[in-house]
Amino acid sequence: MHIDILTLFPEMFQGMFGSGIFKRAIDQKLVSVGIHNIRDYTHDKHHSVDDYPYGGGAGMVLKPEPIFEAVESIKGESATVPIILLTPQGRLFSQQVAQELSQYSHLILICGHYEGVDERVREHLATDELSIGDYVLSGGELAAMVVIDAVVRLLPGVLGSAASPLDDSHVAGLLEYPQYTRPAIYRGWSVPEVLLSGNHAQIADWRREQVILRTLERRPELLDKAKLSSEEKGLVQKLRQS
Ligand code: 6GU
């Protein structure tokens, strides 16, 4: 996958791509990233990226020309690459959207800033708009990083063979079971007995029950949407009654 990012603050992305799973994924050529400064696509002598809103009001609005020109120069001939505007007005990002985006070989992300982006960018350039939640960030950069993180870790080979993204919370629409490692007793707090038993069938049953229990306690609304086996549905019934 190749990801192009249009931003006024390219330096914000250095940390993310310089370490951890991203650095490894980039070194292994599983993903490549182009970080483009929107300001580089201006032509006036002040390199203006924003201007006052027509009709008045507070704040500045990102001008359309540099954003259109940046996208057009990056996109080349491809007609199918998603052009995603990060904005609090976008559709809500989720694991399902991450999975959907992970199927593309190329993504273009536009980070909005200031009070907004000229509406013609939404209408005539962006093919999708994403928000990462119901709160306002000062720019789309952190949102772009969230989207990229969730998408890139789904790409084949990025997490390595041992860790499977299929077990993650939210992949099946439910929360993950609790995890423990050594020591078996820490400050008097013991690891659940069943996990030390070596009985894999019992461990699997316990984990399935924990998944349902946790989700019921913390995010009950997820259970209504999740695809449950008939056994799991029985478990929900039982736990709801107890
Ligand atoms: Cl994508 N952008 C901004 N500025 N704020 C947000 C957001 C995006 N998603 C949630 N809040």
Side-chain angles (χ1 to χ4, degrees):
M1 173 181 279
H2 181 71
I3 303 172
D4 285 303
I5 304 160
L6 273 66
T7 172
L8 291 171
F9 301 97
E11 65 284 356
M12 282 183 74
F13 292 88
Q14 298 310 320
M16 171 173 192
F17 296 121
S19 57
I21 73 155
F22 292 100
K23 183 170 188 307
R24 219 192 56 163
I26 291 166
D27 290 347
Q28 293 183 338
K29 303 200 187 315
L30 299 171
V31 66
S32 53
V33 180
I35 303 173
H36 310 274
N37 193 334
I38 294 170
R39 205 173 291 281
D40 293 342
Y41 295 85
T42 55
H43 302 294
D44 63 307
K45 75 168 186 233
H46 295 110
H47 302 288
S48 318
V49 292
D50 59 351
D51 206 337
Y52 298 99
Y54 275 121
M60 301 290 274
V61 176
L62 287 185
K63 292 163 65 61
E65 306 97 307
I67 298 177
F68 272 81
E69 287 186 33
V71 168
E72 282 160 3
S73 88
I74 287 161
K75 192 175 88 164
E77 297 305 296
S78 171
T80 55
V81 48
I83 300 166
I84 302 165
L85 180 64
L86 282 308
T87 160
Q89 301 186 17
R91 68 180 171 126
L92 204 50
F93 187 62
S94 66
Q95 190 64 35
Q96 195 187 319
V97 176
Q99 245 143 19
E100 181 193 307
L101 297 180
S102 72
Q103 305 305 307
Y104 290 93
S105 58
H106 187 187
L107 300 174
I108 298 177
L109 303 180
I110 305 170
C111 304
H113 242 273
Y114 303 117
E115 304 306 308
V117 177
D118 188 283
E119 187 67 15
R120 289 162 290 192
V121 171
R122 307 173 188 283
E123 283 182 347
H124 305 295
L125 186 65
T127 61
D128 200 356
E129 297 176 41
L130 293 178
S131 162
I132 62 164
D134 292 335
Y135 39 81
V136 179
L137 303 170
S138 44
E141 281 76 11
L142 285 172
M145 289 186 222
V146 167
V147 169
I148 292 166
D149 187 302
V151 169
V152 167
R153 62 192 295 289
L154 295 177
L155 301 178
V158 167
L159 290 188
S161 52
S164 164
L166 295 177
D167 293 336
D168 292 341
S169 288
H170 292 296
V171 167
L174 302 173
L175 304 185
E176 218 183 333
Y177 52 78
Q179 299 270 28
Y180 296 86
T181 187
R182 286 185 286 185
I185 304 176
Y186 176 64
R187 298 193 177 184
W189 301 311
S190 304
V191 171
E193 198 64 43
V194 59
L195 297 178
L196 309 177
S197 69
N199 184 331
H200 295 292
Q202 262 184 7
I203 291 172
D205 284 347
W206 181 83
R207 285 179 168 167
R208 244 192 314 274
E209 181 167 315
Q210 289 295 316
V211 164
I212 306 277
L213 199 57
R214 293 226 135 176
T215 310
L216 199 55
E217 282 170 0
R218 298 173 182 217
R219 300 290 307 278
E221 80 283 5
L222 294 178
L223 281 168
D224 303 329
K225 282 187 279 177
K227 292 194 191 84
L228 300 180
S229 66
S230 52
E231 190 198 349
E232 288 164 331
K233 282 180 190 152
L235 205 50
V236 173
Q237 286 288 329
K238 193 184 107 190
L239 292 168
R240 271 197 166 127
Q241 280 152 17
S242 66

